[in-house]
Amino acid sequence: MATRAYLDWNATAPLRPEAHAAAAAALDVTGNPSSVHAEGRAARRLVEEARERVAALVGVGPREVVFTSGGTEANALALSPALGDTLLVSAIEHPSVLSGGRFDTVDKVPVRGDGVVDLAALERMLGGRSRPLASLMLANNETGAVQPVAEAAALVHAAGGLLHVDAVQGPGRIVCDFKKLNADFMTLSSHKIGGPQGVGALIRREGLFPEPLIKGGGQEKGIRAGTENVAGIAGFGAAAEAARRNLAVDAARMAIQRERLEAGLRASNPNVVILASDGPRLPNTTLFSVPGMKAETAVIAFDLAGAAVSSGAACSSGKVAPSHVLEAMAVPPELARGAIRLSLGYSTSDDEIGLFLNAWAKVAEGIYKSAKDGEIAA
Ligand code: PLP
């Protein structure tokens, strides 16, 4: 019987056993991957094996993979003025994209009420621009809403521009095929797929070169200087391989577990609203709210009851301001204030779902009671 339910996989995933083993073994390899001696070549082999595994995860060749310190750095690297004169990003991007990287101005493309980017608005905003660079995430980390990346790529390319896709939340949940998405750049993060934290990759179409953020040695084809994080990269490679192999089974199981979660949420409180549920969603994510619920308080109540959940994005937790994603979707403030994200992963068990639903039954009772007290007081 589970004693805790970890339902915060969009913040970070538990390390996969394969990734743990690969990273631990790599820590015992002495060489610098740039050295020509046997020790150096052993370290290089680990990096290149991992590169092939990460490349296979998204259907590209290993030459198209640039290792970075994570998703944030890969996003910052892609948002390079060498790749476009102006920058357009969707209004629901991760803060590392919304910040605009090395661009002085960022134009935000609106999203619809279902959390999906408004393609007609994108097309309008592309009009008259020379060399636009656009950035659109594959799936939103708060709502799970899957974005029409291939359609956006067609619009951006027709306007003579390039498209970067932040696919950090995609692998292990949905198919992430770089070529089918028709993107020019793609960001990946190891720790969202069960690899170590602090490592990621920028996938780039061959022949495209962002201006490096870090200059120095010629590592990563001169795009990202610095001795490679060999253990982190080896763990990332093992996680990528496992995520690719298990995708179909994991996605099907998570979809069933999420259905059970959403049915259970509604059973204990008929006023539950599942946000962004009208459009395409990742199978592992549900964002729900109830009028009158305060997300910060609910997260603590769930934690005390044994369930780790999140109020919107992990990086914005702790501040009470409504999430920029829900604001962009025009979710009423009363609902946005109570939004709780549940996200599942490769090892989520049915026991954990049961534990969470028991906790929810108690939290929901509290919400009912305080709503009733409020009515009496009014
Ligand atoms: N992009 C998205 C959509 C994310 O959810 C995150 C992490 O929360 C990032 C980028 C940043 O990735 P990392 O934590 O590897 O820097």
Side-chain angles (χ1 to χ4, degrees):
M1 196 61 196
T3 52
R4 292 278 300 172
Y6 183 75
L7 300 180
D8 201 12
W9 290 68
N10 288 7
T12 199
L15 196 61
R16 293 182 189 258
E18 304 90 326
H20 187 285
L27 285 171
D28 288 329
V29 172
T30 296
N32 183 320
S34 297
S35 300
V36 295
H37 45 60
E39 287 81 353
R41 291 199 307 277
R44 170 60 53 201
R45 234 182 343 267
L46 293 179
V47 171
E48 297 313 317
E49 270 171 22
R51 198 186 305 281
E52 289 194 6
R53 291 168 143 188
V54 171
L57 176 68
V58 293
V60 300
R63 294 165 61 86
E64 295 172 285
V65 178
V66 178
F67 286 120
T68 66
S69 69
T72 296
E73 186 193 327
N75 282 342
L77 183 57
L79 303 187
S80 155
L83 302 172
D85 295 336
T86 57
L87 180 66
L88 281 164
V89 310
S90 89
I92 55 164
E93 296 298 312
H94 186 266
S96 55
V97 168
L98 272 185
S99 71
R102 286 165 281 173
F103 283 81
D104 292 332
T105 52
V106 191
D107 293 318
K108 291 184 195 151
V109 184
V111 298
R112 309 183 313 218
D114 60 1
V116 175
V117 71
D118 181 343
L119 286 175
L122 172 64
E123 189 168 18
R124 268 196 312 277
M125 291 173 76
L126 284 166
R129 282 177 195 254
S130 78
R131 285 203 336 129
L133 175 66
S135 185
L136 176 63
M137 64 203 328
L138 180 56
N140 182 264
N141 45 304
E142 293 185 34
T143 62
V146 176
Q147 305 299 315
V149 171
E151 291 86 336
L155 294 174
V156 173
H157 291 154
L162 297 174
L163 182 78
H164 163 253
V165 53
D166 175 351
V168 161
Q169 295 291 346
R173 290 113 186 231
I174 53 172
V175 174
C176 300
D177 186 307
F178 185 70
K179 302 268 153 68
K180 284 201 185 118
L181 291 171
N182 203 13
D184 302 292
F185 292 92
M186 177 189 267
T187 289
L188 298 173
S189 172
S190 158
H191 73 103
K192 306 288 182 177
I193 63 168
Q197 296 173 336
V199 56
L202 181 67
I203 309 297
R204 66 177 178 117
R205 194 149 55 74
E206 266 208 278
L208 291 179
F209 286 90
E211 174 72 9
L213 280 167
I214 304 170
K215 297 179 188 167
Q219 291 93 349
E220 299 298 297
K221 299 208 162 33
I223 299 172
R224 205 283 185 179
T227 299
E228 296 86 343
N229 170 6
V230 178
I233 288 171
F236 182 18
E241 167 93 13
R244 184 173 63 80
R245 280 180 189 229
N246 302 332
L247 170 65
V249 171
D250 286 345
R253 198 203 60 254
M254 292 188 296
I256 292 168
Q257 290 175 328
R258 185 192 42 197
E259 222 166 276
R260 183 175 159 213
L261 269 179
E262 292 185 349
L265 286 169
R266 290 194 174 104
S268 295
N269 188 324
N271 297 327
V272 162
V273 176
I274 310 288
L275 296 157
S277 59
D278 293 338
R281 275 189 304 164
L282 294 174
N284 79 317
T285 306
T286 187
L287 185 69
F288 77 97
S289 185
V290 187
M293 183 161 81
K294 288 200 183 72
E296 347 47 283
T297 322
V299 166
I300 295 165
F302 281 124
D303 189 34
L304 292 173
V309 305
S310 157
S311 58
C315 24
S316 61
S317 291
K319 63 175 191 206
V320 181
S323 117
H324 70 281
V325 175
L326 299 184
E327 265 181 346
M329 289 164 59
V331 171
E334 173 73 350
L335 277 182
R337 256 183 45 203
I340 294 284
R341 178 185 70 186
L342 310 177
S343 49
L344 320 179
Y346 63 82
S347 68
T348 301
S349 67
D350 291 344
D351 266 3
E352 287 178 281
I353 305 292
L355 191 152
F356 170 81
L357 288 175
N358 285 339
W360 168 239
K362 287 186 208 120
V363 174
E365 204 176 299
I367 297 168
Y368 255 151
K369 196 176 165 314
S370 58
K372 238 169 93 203
D373 291 351
E375 268 165 35
I376 292 162

Coordinates of all heavy atoms in Angstrom, one line a residue, residues 105-196:
T105 N 12.6 42.6 -27.5 CA 11.1 42.6 -27.4 C 10.6 41.3 -27.8 O 11.1 40.5 -28.6 CB 10.5 43.7 -28.3 OG1 11.0 43.5 -29.6 CG2 10.8 45.1 -27.9
V106 N 9.4 40.9 -27.1 CA 8.8 39.6 -27.4 C 7.3 39.9 -27.6 O 6.7 40.6 -26.8 CB 8.8 38.8 -26.1 CG1 8.4 37.4 -26.4 CG2 10.2 38.8 -25.4
D107 N 6.8 39.5 -28.8 CA 5.4 39.6 -29.1 C 4.7 38.3 -28.7 O 5.1 37.2 -29.1 CB 5.2 39.9 -30.5 CG 5.7 41.3 -30.8 OD1 5.5 42.2 -30.0 OD2 6.4 41.5 -31.9
K108 N 3.6 38.5 -27.9 CA 2.9 37.3 -27.4 C 1.7 36.9 -28.2 O 0.8 37.8 -28.4 CB 2.5 37.5 -26.0 CG 3.7 37.5 -25.0 CD 3.3 37.6 -23.6 CE 4.5 38.1 -22.8 NZ 4.1 38.8 -21.6
V109 N 1.6 35.7 -28.7 CA 0.4 35.3 -29.5 C -0.6 34.7 -28.5 O -0.3 33.9 -27.6 CB 0.9 34.1 -30.5 CG1 -0.3 33.7 -31.3 CG2 2.1 34.6 -31.3
P110 N -1.9 35.2 -28.6 CA -2.9 34.8 -27.6 C -3.3 33.3 -27.8 O -3.0 32.7 -28.8 CB -4.1 35.7 -28.0 CG -3.8 36.2 -29.3 CD -2.4 36.2 -29.6
V111 N -3.9 32.8 -26.7 CA -4.4 31.4 -26.8 C -6.0 31.5 -26.6 O -6.5 32.5 -26.1 CB -3.8 30.5 -25.7 CG1 -2.3 30.3 -25.9 CG2 -4.2 31.0 -24.3
R112 N -6.6 30.4 -27.0 CA -8.1 30.3 -26.8 C -8.4 29.9 -25.4 O -7.5 29.5 -24.6 CB -8.6 29.3 -27.9 CG -8.2 29.6 -29.3 CD -8.8 28.6 -30.3 NE -8.8 27.2 -29.8 CZ -8.6 26.2 -30.6 NH1 -8.3 26.3 -31.8 NH2 -8.6 25.0 -30.1
G113 N -9.7 29.8 -25.1 CA -10.1 29.4 -23.8 C -9.8 28.0 -23.4 O -9.7 27.6 -22.3
D114 N -9.5 27.1 -24.5 CA -9.1 25.8 -24.2 C -7.6 25.6 -24.0 O -7.1 24.5 -23.9 CB -9.7 24.8 -25.3 CG -9.1 25.1 -26.7 OD1 -8.3 26.1 -26.8 OD2 -9.5 24.4 -27.6
G115 N -6.9 26.7 -24.0 CA -5.5 26.6 -23.7 C -4.6 26.3 -24.9 O -3.4 26.1 -24.8
V116 N -5.3 26.4 -26.1 CA -4.5 26.1 -27.4 C -4.3 27.4 -28.1 O -5.1 28.3 -28.1 CB -5.4 25.2 -28.3 CG1 -4.7 24.9 -29.6 CG2 -5.6 23.8 -27.6
V117 N -3.1 27.6 -28.7 CA -2.7 28.8 -29.3 C -3.7 29.1 -30.5 O -4.2 28.3 -31.2 CB -1.2 28.8 -29.8 CG1 -1.1 27.8 -31.0 CG2 -0.7 30.1 -30.1
D118 N -3.9 30.4 -30.7 CA -4.8 30.9 -31.7 C -4.0 31.1 -33.0 O -3.3 32.0 -33.2 CB -5.4 32.3 -31.2 CG -6.4 32.9 -32.2 OD1 -6.4 32.4 -33.4 OD2 -7.1 33.8 -31.8
L119 N -4.2 30.1 -33.9 CA -3.4 30.1 -35.1 C -3.7 31.2 -36.0 O -2.8 31.7 -36.8 CB -3.6 28.7 -35.9 CG -2.9 27.5 -35.3 CD1 -3.2 26.2 -36.0 CD2 -1.3 27.7 -35.2
A120 N -5.0 31.7 -36.0 CA -5.4 32.8 -36.9 C -4.6 34.0 -36.4 O -4.1 34.8 -37.2 CB -6.9 33.0 -36.9
A121 N -4.5 34.2 -35.1 CA -3.8 35.3 -34.5 C -2.3 35.2 -34.9 O -1.7 36.2 -35.3 CB -3.9 35.4 -33.0
L122 N -1.7 34.0 -34.8 CA -0.3 33.8 -35.2 C -0.1 34.3 -36.7 O 0.8 35.0 -37.0 CB 0.1 32.4 -35.0 CG 1.5 32.0 -35.6 CD1 2.6 32.7 -34.8 CD2 1.7 30.5 -35.5
E123 N -1.0 33.8 -37.5 CA -0.9 34.2 -39.0 C -0.9 35.7 -39.2 O -0.1 36.2 -39.9 CB -2.0 33.5 -39.8 CG -1.8 33.6 -41.3 CD -2.7 32.7 -42.0 OE1 -3.8 32.2 -41.5 OE2 -2.4 32.4 -43.2
R124 N -1.9 36.3 -38.5 CA -2.0 37.8 -38.6 C -0.7 38.4 -38.1 O -0.2 39.4 -38.7 CB -3.2 38.3 -37.7 CG -4.5 38.4 -38.4 CD -5.5 39.3 -37.6 NE -5.6 38.9 -36.2 CZ -6.4 37.9 -35.7 NH1 -7.0 37.2 -36.6 NH2 -6.4 37.7 -34.4
M125 N -0.2 38.0 -37.0 CA 1.0 38.6 -36.4 C 2.3 38.4 -37.2 O 3.2 39.1 -37.1 CB 1.2 38.1 -34.9 CG 0.1 38.6 -34.0 SD 0.1 37.9 -32.3 CE 1.5 38.8 -31.6
L126 N 2.3 37.3 -38.0 CA 3.4 37.0 -38.8 C 3.5 38.0 -40.0 O 4.6 38.2 -40.6 CB 3.4 35.6 -39.3 CG 3.8 34.5 -38.3 CD1 3.4 33.1 -38.8 CD2 5.3 34.5 -38.0
G127 N 2.3 38.5 -40.4 CA 2.2 39.3 -41.6 C 3.2 40.5 -41.6 O 3.3 41.2 -40.6
G128 N 3.9 40.7 -42.6 CA 4.8 41.9 -42.8 C 6.1 41.8 -42.0 O 6.8 42.8 -42.0
R129 N 6.4 40.7 -41.4 CA 7.6 40.6 -40.6 C 8.7 40.1 -41.6 O 8.4 39.2 -42.4 CB 7.5 39.6 -39.5 CG 6.8 40.2 -38.3 CD 6.7 39.2 -37.2 NE 5.7 39.6 -36.3 CZ 6.0 40.1 -35.1 NH1 7.2 40.1 -34.6 NH2 5.0 40.5 -34.3
S130 N 9.9 40.5 -41.3 CA 11.0 39.9 -42.1 C 11.7 38.9 -41.1 O 11.9 39.2 -39.9 CB 12.0 40.9 -42.6 OG 12.9 41.3 -41.6
R131 N 12.1 37.7 -41.5 CA 12.8 36.7 -40.7 C 12.3 36.6 -39.3 O 13.0 36.8 -38.3 CB 14.3 37.1 -40.7 CG 15.0 36.8 -41.9 CD 16.5 36.6 -41.8 NE 17.1 37.2 -40.6 CZ 17.9 36.6 -39.8 NH1 18.2 35.3 -40.0 NH2 18.5 37.2 -38.8
P132 N 11.0 36.2 -39.2 CA 10.5 36.0 -37.8 C 11.0 34.7 -37.2 O 11.2 33.7 -37.9 CB 9.0 35.9 -38.0 CG 8.8 35.4 -39.4 CD 9.9 35.9 -40.2
L133 N 11.3 34.7 -35.9 CA 11.6 33.5 -35.1 C 10.4 33.3 -34.2 O 10.0 34.3 -33.5 CB 12.9 33.6 -34.3 CG 13.2 32.5 -33.4 CD1 13.5 31.2 -34.1 CD2 14.4 32.8 -32.5
A134 N 9.8 32.1 -34.2 CA 8.6 31.9 -33.3 C 8.9 30.7 -32.4 O 9.7 29.8 -32.7 CB 7.4 31.5 -34.2
S135 N 8.3 30.8 -31.2 CA 8.5 29.7 -30.2 C 7.2 29.3 -29.7 O 6.4 30.1 -29.2 CB 9.4 30.2 -29.1 OG 9.7 29.1 -28.2
L136 N 6.9 28.0 -29.8 CA 5.6 27.4 -29.4 C 5.9 26.1 -28.7 O 6.6 25.2 -29.2 CB 4.7 27.2 -30.6 CG 3.3 26.5 -30.3 CD1 2.5 27.4 -29.4 CD2 2.6 26.2 -31.6
M137 N 5.3 25.9 -27.5 CA 5.6 24.7 -26.7 C 4.8 23.5 -27.3 O 3.7 23.8 -27.9 CB 5.3 24.9 -25.2 CG 3.9 25.2 -24.9 SD 3.7 26.1 -23.3 CE 4.9 25.5 -22.2
L138 N 5.3 22.3 -27.1 CA 4.5 21.1 -27.6 C 3.3 20.9 -26.7 O 2.2 20.6 -27.2 CB 5.4 19.9 -27.7 CG 4.8 18.6 -28.2 CD1 4.2 18.8 -29.5 CD2 5.8 17.5 -28.2
A139 N 3.5 21.0 -25.4 CA 2.4 20.8 -24.5 C 2.7 21.7 -23.3 O 3.8 21.9 -22.8 CB 2.4 19.4 -24.0
N140 N 1.6 22.3 -22.8 CA 1.8 23.2 -21.6 C 2.0 22.5 -20.3 O 1.3 21.5 -20.0 CB 0.6 24.2 -21.6 CG 0.7 25.2 -20.4 OD1 0.2 25.0 -19.3 ND2 1.5 26.2 -20.7
N141 N 2.9 22.9 -19.5 CA 3.2 22.3 -18.3 C 2.2 22.4 -17.2 O 2.1 21.5 -16.3 CB 4.6 22.8 -17.7 CG 4.7 24.3 -17.8 OD1 4.5 24.9 -18.9 ND2 4.9 24.9 -16.7
E142 N 1.3 23.4 -17.3 CA 0.3 23.6 -16.3 C -1.0 22.9 -16.6 O -1.6 22.2 -15.8 CB 0.0 25.1 -16.0 CG 1.2 25.8 -15.4 CD 0.8 27.3 -15.1 OE1 -0.3 27.5 -14.7 OE2 1.7 28.1 -15.2
T143 N -1.4 23.0 -17.9 CA -2.7 22.5 -18.3 C -2.6 21.1 -19.0 O -3.6 20.4 -19.1 CB -3.4 23.4 -19.3 OG1 -2.6 23.5 -20.5 CG2 -3.7 24.8 -18.7
G144 N -1.4 20.9 -19.6 CA -1.2 19.7 -20.5 C -1.7 19.9 -21.9 O -1.7 19.0 -22.7
A145 N -2.3 21.1 -22.2 CA -2.8 21.4 -23.5 C -1.8 21.2 -24.6 O -0.7 21.8 -24.5 CB -3.4 22.8 -23.6
V146 N -2.1 20.3 -25.6 CA -1.1 20.0 -26.7 C -1.3 21.0 -27.8 O -2.5 21.3 -28.2 CB -1.3 18.6 -27.2 CG1 -0.4 18.3 -28.4 CG2 -1.0 17.6 -26.1
Q147 N -0.2 21.6 -28.3 CA -0.3 22.7 -29.2 C -0.2 22.2 -30.7 O 0.6 21.3 -30.9 CB 0.8 23.7 -28.9 CG 0.7 24.2 -27.4 CD -0.6 24.9 -27.1 OE1 -1.1 25.8 -27.9 NE2 -1.2 24.6 -26.0
P148 N -0.8 22.9 -31.6 CA -0.7 22.5 -33.0 C 0.6 23.0 -33.7 O 0.7 23.9 -34.5 CB -1.9 23.3 -33.7 CG -2.1 24.5 -32.8 CD -1.6 24.1 -31.4
V149 N 1.7 22.3 -33.3 CA 3.0 22.7 -33.7 C 3.3 22.6 -35.2 O 3.8 23.5 -35.8 CB 4.1 21.9 -32.9 CG1 5.5 22.2 -33.4 CG2 4.1 22.2 -31.4
A150 N 2.8 21.5 -35.8 CA 3.1 21.3 -37.2 C 2.4 22.4 -38.0 O 2.9 23.0 -39.0 CB 2.7 20.0 -37.7
E151 N 1.1 22.7 -37.6 CA 0.4 23.8 -38.3 C 1.1 25.1 -38.1 O 1.2 25.9 -39.1 CB -1.1 23.9 -37.8 CG -1.9 22.7 -38.1 CD -1.8 21.5 -37.1 OE1 -0.8 21.4 -36.4 OE2 -2.7 20.7 -37.0
A152 N 1.5 25.4 -36.9 CA 2.2 26.7 -36.6 C 3.5 26.7 -37.5 O 3.9 27.8 -38.0 CB 2.6 26.8 -35.2
A153 N 4.2 25.6 -37.6 CA 5.5 25.6 -38.4 C 5.2 25.9 -39.8 O 6.0 26.7 -40.4 CB 6.1 24.2 -38.3
A154 N 4.1 25.4 -40.4 CA 3.8 25.7 -41.8 C 3.6 27.2 -41.9 O 4.0 27.8 -42.9 CB 2.5 24.9 -42.2
L155 N 2.9 27.8 -41.0 CA 2.6 29.3 -41.1 C 3.9 30.1 -41.0 O 4.2 31.0 -41.7 CB 1.7 29.8 -40.0 CG 0.2 29.2 -40.0 CD1 -0.6 29.6 -38.8 CD2 -0.5 29.7 -41.3
V156 N 4.8 29.7 -40.0 CA 6.0 30.4 -39.8 C 6.9 30.3 -41.0 O 7.5 31.2 -41.5 CB 6.7 29.9 -38.5 CG1 8.1 30.5 -38.3 CG2 5.8 30.2 -37.3
H157 N 7.0 29.0 -41.5 CA 7.9 28.8 -42.7 C 7.4 29.6 -43.9 O 8.2 30.2 -44.7 CB 8.0 27.3 -43.0 CG 8.8 26.6 -42.0 ND1 8.6 25.2 -41.7 CD2 9.7 27.0 -41.1 CE1 9.4 24.9 -40.7 NE2 10.1 25.9 -40.3
A158 N 6.0 29.7 -44.1 CA 5.5 30.4 -45.2 C 5.8 31.9 -45.1 O 5.9 32.6 -46.1 CB 4.0 30.2 -45.3
A159 N 6.0 32.4 -43.9 CA 6.4 33.8 -43.6 C 7.9 34.0 -43.7 O 8.4 35.0 -43.4 CB 5.8 34.2 -42.3
G160 N 8.6 32.9 -44.0 CA 10.1 33.0 -44.2 C 10.9 32.9 -42.9 O 12.0 33.3 -42.7
G161 N 10.2 32.3 -41.8 CA 10.8 32.3 -40.5 C 11.2 30.9 -40.0 O 11.1 29.9 -40.8
L162 N 11.6 30.8 -38.8 CA 12.0 29.5 -38.2 C 11.1 29.3 -36.9 O 10.7 30.3 -36.3 CB 13.5 29.6 -37.7 CG 14.5 29.7 -38.9 CD1 15.9 29.9 -38.3 CD2 14.5 28.5 -39.8
L163 N 10.9 28.0 -36.6 CA 10.1 27.7 -35.4 C 10.9 26.9 -34.4 O 11.5 25.9 -34.8 CB 8.8 26.9 -35.8 CG 8.0 26.6 -34.6 CD1 7.2 27.8 -34.1 CD2 7.0 25.4 -34.8
H164 N 10.9 27.3 -33.2 CA 11.4 26.6 -32.1 C 10.3 26.0 -31.3 O 9.3 26.7 -31.0 CB 12.3 27.5 -31.2 CG 12.5 26.9 -29.8 ND1 11.9 27.4 -28.7 CD2 13.4 25.9 -29.4 CE1 12.4 26.7 -27.6 NE2 13.2 25.8 -28.0
V165 N 10.4 24.7 -30.9 CA 9.4 24.1 -30.0 C 10.0 23.6 -28.7 O 11.0 22.9 -28.7 CB 8.6 22.9 -30.8 CG1 9.6 21.9 -31.3 CG2 7.6 22.2 -29.9
D166 N 9.4 24.1 -27.6 CA 9.8 23.7 -26.3 C 9.0 22.4 -26.0 O 7.8 22.4 -25.7 CB 9.4 24.8 -25.3 CG 9.7 24.3 -23.8 OD1 10.0 23.1 -23.6 OD2 9.6 25.2 -23.0
A167 N 9.7 21.2 -26.2 CA 9.0 19.9 -26.1 C 9.3 19.3 -24.7 O 9.1 18.1 -24.6 CB 9.4 19.0 -27.2
V168 N 9.6 20.1 -23.7 CA 10.0 19.5 -22.4 C 9.0 18.6 -21.8 O 9.4 17.6 -21.2 CB 10.4 20.7 -21.5 CG1 10.4 20.2 -20.0 CG2 11.7 21.3 -21.9
Q169 N 7.7 18.9 -22.0 CA 6.7 18.1 -21.3 C 6.2 16.9 -22.2 O 5.3 16.2 -21.8 CB 5.5 19.0 -20.9 CG 5.9 20.0 -19.8 CD 6.2 19.4 -18.5 OE1 5.9 18.2 -18.2 NE2 6.7 20.1 -17.6
G170 N 6.8 16.8 -23.4 CA 6.2 15.8 -24.3 C 6.6 14.3 -24.2 O 5.8 13.4 -24.1
P171 N 8.0 14.1 -24.2 CA 8.4 12.7 -24.3 C 7.9 11.8 -23.1 O 7.8 12.3 -22.0 CB 10.0 12.8 -24.2 CG 10.2 14.2 -24.7 CD 9.1 15.0 -24.2
G172 N 7.7 10.6 -23.5 CA 7.1 9.6 -22.5 C 5.6 9.8 -22.3 O 5.0 9.0 -21.6
R173 N 5.0 10.8 -22.9 CA 3.6 11.0 -22.8 C 2.9 11.0 -24.1 O 1.9 10.4 -24.3 CB 3.3 12.4 -22.1 CG 3.6 12.5 -20.7 CD 4.8 13.4 -20.4 NE 5.3 13.4 -19.1 CZ 5.4 14.5 -18.3 NH1 5.1 15.7 -18.9 NH2 5.9 14.4 -17.1
I174 N 3.5 11.7 -25.1 CA 3.0 11.6 -26.5 C 4.2 11.5 -27.4 O 5.4 11.7 -27.0 CB 2.2 12.9 -26.9 CG1 3.1 14.2 -26.6 CG2 0.9 13.0 -26.2 CD1 2.5 15.5 -27.1
V175 N 3.9 11.1 -28.7 CA 5.0 11.0 -29.7 C 5.6 12.4 -30.0 O 4.9 13.4 -30.1 CB 4.4 10.4 -31.0 CG1 5.4 10.4 -32.1 CG2 3.8 9.1 -30.8
C176 N 6.9 12.5 -30.0 CA 7.6 13.7 -30.2 C 8.5 13.5 -31.4 O 9.7 13.2 -31.2 CB 8.4 14.2 -29.0 SG 7.5 14.4 -27.6
D177 N 8.0 13.7 -32.6 CA 8.8 13.4 -33.8 C 9.2 14.8 -34.4 O 8.4 15.5 -34.9 CB 8.0 12.6 -34.8 CG 8.9 12.2 -36.0 OD1 9.4 13.0 -36.6 OD2 8.9 10.9 -36.2
F178 N 10.5 15.1 -34.3 CA 11.0 16.4 -34.7 C 10.6 16.7 -36.2 O 10.2 17.8 -36.6 CB 12.5 16.5 -34.6 CG 13.2 17.8 -34.9 CD1 13.0 18.9 -34.0 CD2 14.0 17.9 -36.0 CE1 13.6 20.1 -34.3 CE2 14.6 19.1 -36.2 CZ 14.4 20.2 -35.4
K179 N 10.8 15.7 -37.0 CA 10.5 15.9 -38.5 C 9.0 16.1 -38.8 O 8.7 16.9 -39.5 CB 11.1 14.7 -39.3 CG 12.6 14.4 -39.1 CD 13.4 15.1 -40.1 CE 14.8 15.4 -39.5 NZ 15.7 14.3 -39.3
K180 N 8.2 15.3 -38.1 CA 6.8 15.4 -38.3 C 6.2 16.7 -37.8 O 5.3 17.3 -38.4 CB 6.0 14.3 -37.6 CG 6.1 12.9 -38.4 CD 5.0 12.0 -38.0 CE 5.2 10.7 -38.7 NZ 5.4 9.6 -37.8
L181 N 6.8 17.2 -36.7 CA 6.4 18.5 -36.2 C 6.9 19.6 -37.1 O 6.4 20.8 -37.0 CB 7.0 18.7 -34.8 CG 6.3 17.8 -33.7 CD1 7.1 17.9 -32.4 CD2 4.8 18.1 -33.5
N182 N 7.9 19.3 -37.9 CA 8.4 20.2 -38.9 C 9.1 21.5 -38.3 O 9.0 22.6 -38.8 CB 7.3 20.6 -39.9 CG 7.9 21.1 -41.2 OD1 9.1 21.0 -41.5 ND2 7.1 21.8 -42.0
A183 N 9.6 21.3 -37.0 CA 10.2 22.4 -36.3 C 11.7 22.5 -36.8 O 12.2 21.6 -37.4 CB 10.2 22.2 -34.8
D184 N 12.3 23.7 -36.4 CA 13.7 23.9 -36.7 C 14.6 23.7 -35.5 O 15.7 23.3 -35.7 CB 13.8 25.3 -37.3 CG 13.0 25.5 -38.5 OD1 13.2 24.9 -39.5 OD2 11.9 26.2 -38.4
F185 N 14.0 23.9 -34.3 CA 14.7 23.7 -33.1 C 13.7 23.0 -32.1 O 12.5 23.3 -32.2 CB 15.2 25.0 -32.5 CG 16.3 25.6 -33.3 CD1 16.0 26.6 -34.3 CD2 17.6 25.3 -33.1 CE1 17.0 27.1 -35.0 CE2 18.6 25.8 -33.8 CZ 18.3 26.8 -34.8
M186 N 14.3 22.2 -31.2 CA 13.4 21.6 -30.2 C 14.2 21.5 -28.8 O 15.3 21.1 -28.8 CB 13.0 20.2 -30.6 CG 12.2 19.5 -29.6 SD 11.9 17.7 -30.1 CE 10.4 17.9 -31.0
T187 N 13.5 21.9 -27.8 CA 14.1 21.8 -26.4 C 13.7 20.5 -25.7 O 12.5 20.2 -25.7 CB 13.7 23.0 -25.6 OG1 14.4 24.2 -26.1 CG2 14.1 22.9 -24.1
L188 N 14.6 19.8 -25.1 CA 14.3 18.7 -24.2 C 14.9 18.8 -22.9 O 16.0 19.5 -22.7 CB 14.8 17.4 -24.9 CG 14.3 17.0 -26.2 CD1 15.0 15.8 -26.8 CD2 12.8 16.7 -26.2
S189 N 14.3 18.2 -21.8 CA 14.9 18.3 -20.5 C 15.0 16.9 -19.9 O 13.9 16.2 -19.9 CB 14.1 19.2 -19.6 OG 14.5 19.1 -18.3
S190 N 16.1 16.5 -19.4 CA 16.3 15.2 -18.8 C 15.4 14.8 -17.7 O 14.8 13.8 -17.6 CB 17.8 15.0 -18.4 OG 18.0 14.0 -17.5
H191 N 15.3 15.8 -16.7 CA 14.6 15.4 -15.5 C 13.1 15.3 -15.6 O 12.4 14.8 -14.7 CB 15.0 16.4 -14.3 CG 14.4 17.7 -14.4 ND1 13.3 18.1 -13.6 CD2 14.7 18.8 -15.1 CE1 13.1 19.4 -13.8 NE2 13.9 19.9 -14.7
K192 N 12.5 15.7 -16.7 CA 11.1 15.6 -16.9 C 10.8 14.2 -17.4 O 9.6 13.8 -17.5 CB 10.5 16.6 -17.9 CG 10.9 18.0 -17.6 CD 10.1 18.6 -16.4 CE 10.5 20.0 -16.2 NZ 9.8 20.7 -15.1
I193 N 11.8 13.4 -17.9 CA 11.5 12.1 -18.4 C 12.2 11.0 -17.5 O 12.4 9.9 -18.0 CB 12.0 12.0 -19.9 CG1 13.5 12.2 -20.0 CG2 11.2 12.9 -20.7 CD1 14.0 11.8 -21.4
G194 N 12.6 11.4 -16.3 CA 13.2 10.4 -15.4 C 14.7 10.3 -15.5 O 15.3 9.3 -15.0
G195 N 15.4 11.3 -16.1 CA 16.8 11.4 -16.1 C 17.2 12.3 -15.0 O 16.4 12.9 -14.3
P196 N 18.6 12.5 -14.8 CA 19.0 13.5 -13.8 C 18.6 14.9 -14.1 O 18.4 15.3 -15.2 CB 20.6 13.3 -13.8 CG 20.8 12.1 -14.7 CD 19.7 11.9 -15.6

